[in-house]
Amino acid sequence: MSGRLADETAVVTGSSSGIGAAIAKGFAEEGANVITNSRALERAETTATEITEAGGTATAVEADISDPDDASHLVDRAVETYGSIDIMVNNAGVSVVDPIVELDPEDWQHVIDVNLSGVFYGAQAAARRMIEQGTGGQILNISSMFGSVGVQGRSPYNASKAGVNTLTQCLAVELADHDICVNAMAPGYVETELTDQTKESDDRGTELDRDDWPYYGYDETHVANRTPMGRFATLEEMQTVALFLVEGGHYTTGEILTADGGWSAFGWGSKAR
């Protein structure tokens, strides 16, 4: 299959839905052999089937990325199935929303295990194989615009993503001698099935109440007022950013590329005020 990633093999963790699934499909459209992944095999198979039915090449692999043995198994399957691993996308992530004084230590640890340790295990497993192959490679870690700010109720998520940012830089420095580029993509609010559900559960309405500000809502009005571009990002836009970062040929490594419609530049403000 021809395309910008023709003959390359990409592993995308957490690719059963949302950004991960979009990246996996986008890479397949550009000719990559894709390993889709989820902790539940049937969910990973759903994305793989959609890819193959569209004319691409994909194999589903069940793995819990927070387990280093599973991370190694995921990479091994890529090499066994397609002969190499050229691109590793560490996308799998979870979140919990609770005030810091009420946060259950188990919830804290679960988020760190998946979002930060999982990225490390995936990157480590991929880097070992890429070094062994001797042909370089691309590692892309999915961070968040929340990795550089404080937000009420989201301490484990934000801390994990801040860790991903610094880990990305460390990996980039250590792996550069092997021609392995390591970058991170930090999305803002993206239109996915999950955000659709979140918007539907946002019962505060669309009016901005100054007395209760700041309000960390997710309906269209609140996101539009906090984002200079005035809308959620699309999954296609996330595909575009991810493809740029893994295609290579751009002398970029150790970069955290924020794709948030200007949210970080604007700060936690409101265009309505």
Side-chain angles (χ1 to χ4, degrees), residues 160-173:
S160 70
K161 295 302 185 179
V164 167
N165 291 347
T166 303
L167 175 61
T168 296
Q169 294 172 325
C170 291
L171 292 167
V173 171

Side-chain angles (χ1 to χ4, degrees), residues 53-157:
E53 288 180 348
T57 304
T59 299
V61 177
E62 177 182 356
D64 180 351
I65 199 65
S66 67
D67 182 329
D69 291 335
D70 272 20
S72 294
H73 168 67
L74 189 58
V75 171
D76 289 345
R77 281 290 304 277
V79 177
E80 292 166 4
T81 305
Y82 298 116
S84 67
I85 177 170
D86 307 290
I87 299 166
M88 181 73 184
V89 181
N90 295 300
N91 167 77
V94 295
S95 185
V96 63
V97 180
D98 258 327
I100 189 68
V101 295
E102 299 174 10
L103 183 65
D104 189 318
E106 292 184 0
D107 288 338
W108 165 272
Q109 194 60 56
H110 178 56
V111 174
I112 297 300
D113 287 346
V114 176
N115 292 10
L116 181 53
S117 296
V119 169
F120 169 70
Y121 297 143
Q124 183 184 58
R128 286 171 172 166
R129 279 290 194 164
M130 289 174 179
I131 292 171
E132 182 181 306
Q133 291 169 179
T135 54
Q138 300 285 335
I139 297 175
L140 174 61
N141 301 325
I142 306 303
S143 182
S144 167
M145 66 181 183
F146 284 167
S148 59
V149 298
V151 178
Q152 288 177 336
R154 296 182 177 272
S155 55
Y157 183 82

